[in-house]
Amino acid sequence: MPTPVIASDAHLAHDGLIELVHGSPVACYESPARAVEIERALRAADGYAFEPPDEHGTAAITAVHDTDLVDLLEHVWTDAVAAGHDGRRPLIPDTFATEAFTTRHELSGTPLSRFDRLGSYCFDTATPIVEGTYAAARAAVDVALTAARRVLDSAPLAYGLCRPPGHHAGTRLFGGYCYFNNAAIVAQRLVSLGASRAAILDVDFHHGNGTQQIFWRRGDVFYASIHADPARQYPFFLGHSNETGEGDGVGENLNLPQPADLSDDAYLAAIDRTLEAILSRPGSIIVVSLGFDTYGLDPICDFALTTPVYAEIGRRVAATGRRLVILQEGGYYRPHLGNNAVAWLRGAEGR
Ligand code: SP5
Ligand code: ZN
C-alpha cells in the first residue's frame, strides 16, 4: 500500500519575506520553496499517494489553542491593512508583553489594535504574518488532521507535509515560524477520539517549547524531544533535561538536550532512549514532529547528521510497531530536504 502524503498548496501564499536575526532583516529560512522541494522529491519517488487535506473546522484547533490566538491570526492582517499598513510588508510585533512588563501576571488592558496585541502572543521576531498566513496555518492543521485520519483508518504511517510548522506554538503563543501546533492538535484529537494515551516524538533540531507547554500538566500525552541544548540554541528558555512536567504530567515530558556537532551514532543513541520511554507507556500511535534541521548542512543549526541516518531513524521508530503520524516541522538546507524526507519515510516503510 502506498504511503499517504497529505499536502496543500495553501502554504505558497505564506511567504514571510523577512525575519529579523540579531535585529537585521534576512530572507526567511522558513520559505515556500522548502515544502515545494519535499513535494517534488516525494512525487519523483515511487510509493507515495498524494492527497489534499480534508477541511476541518476550528474546534480541533481551539481544543489546544485559545480562541483569542485564532482570532488574532485570522484578523490581524486585514485590521493592519485597514489601519494603513503597507500590504507588501509582513507584520512583526513591535512591543512584546514580557513577564517583566507588569508586576501583575495578567496584563490589565487590551490594546485596541490587533497589531498592537501581537506582542503578547509572540515570542520572537522571526515569525512574520502576511495576507496568506492564516489560511496556510489552517491548511497545515488540516493536513495534519487528515494524515491522522489515514492512520486511524489503519494506515501504518501517513506523512503530513505541514507548512508552516507547529511545534513552537503554545496555547496562546506563536513564534519560531509556527502559528498553530499541528502535532499537538493531532495528539489532542487522538485522545479526544478515545485513545487512552498519545505520544509525541519530536526530532526537530529545536526544542518544541509549544508542545511541551500544551501538555505540561497532562498525563495522557507523553512528549519526548531530542534537540540542541537551549543553553546555546533557540528557543533558549526551554528544553532543559530537568523539565519533566507537573501535576498529572509529572514524568510525561522527556527532554534530551544535545551538544553541537552531534554525530549520527550519538543521535541514534538518543533515539533509542526516547523509543524505550515511549514503549514503556501504553498506546498505539506515535505523532512524529519531523525536522531535518538536524542535518549537517543546515544553515541555522549545528548538528552533524547525514542522509543515511534518517533512514535508520525512520526504521527504528517504525520498529516500535506503533502506527506513525509523521508531520513536517523544520529543516532549512533546501537542496537536500527532499532526499532526507524520502530517506526517512523509506526507512519507516521498511524499504
Ligand atoms: C520549526 C523550526 O525549526 N523553527 C526554528 C526557528 C528558529 N529561529 C531562529 C533562527 C535563528 C537564526 N540564527 C541564524 C544564525 C546564522 N548563522
Ligand atoms: Zn527546528
Side-chain angles (χ1 to χ4, degrees), residues 217-233:
R217 296 173 188 282
R218 296 265 301 262
D220 52 350
V221 179
F222 176 59
Y223 176 67
S225 178
I226 303 166
H227 51 264
D229 190 332
R232 73 167 198 288
Q233 280 282 359

Side-chain angles (χ1 to χ4, degrees), residues 167-168 204-206 293 301 330-332:
H167 75 152
H168 294 298
D204 186 275
F205 172 85
H206 302 97
D293 38 8
C301 300
Y332 308 100

Side-chain angles (χ1 to χ4, degrees), residues 156-157 201 271 275 278-279 284 286 288 310-326 344-351:
L157 76 172
L201 172 61
I271 280 286
L275 296 178
I278 288 170
L279 285 173
S284 56
I286 303 174
V288 181
Y310 293 117
E312 180 60 18
I313 295 166
R315 196 191 66 71
R316 291 191 192 191
V317 174
T320 58
R322 307 250 170 129
R323 285 173 288 145
L324 308 178
V325 181
I326 302 159
W344 208 104
L345 292 173
R346 286 203 170 144
E349 293 153 2
R351 62 189 178 118

Side-chain angles (χ1 to χ4, degrees), residues 7 9-10 25 28 34 36 98 106 123 144 167 178 185 191 205 218 220 242 258 268 276 318:
D9 283 340
C28 284
R34 296 177 54 249
V36 169
T98 70
E106 295 293 327
F123 68 95
H167 75 152
C178 303
I185 289 166
V191 296
F205 172 85
R218 296 265 301 262
D220 52 350
N242 63 0
Q258 305 293 328
L268 289 171
E276 197 181 320

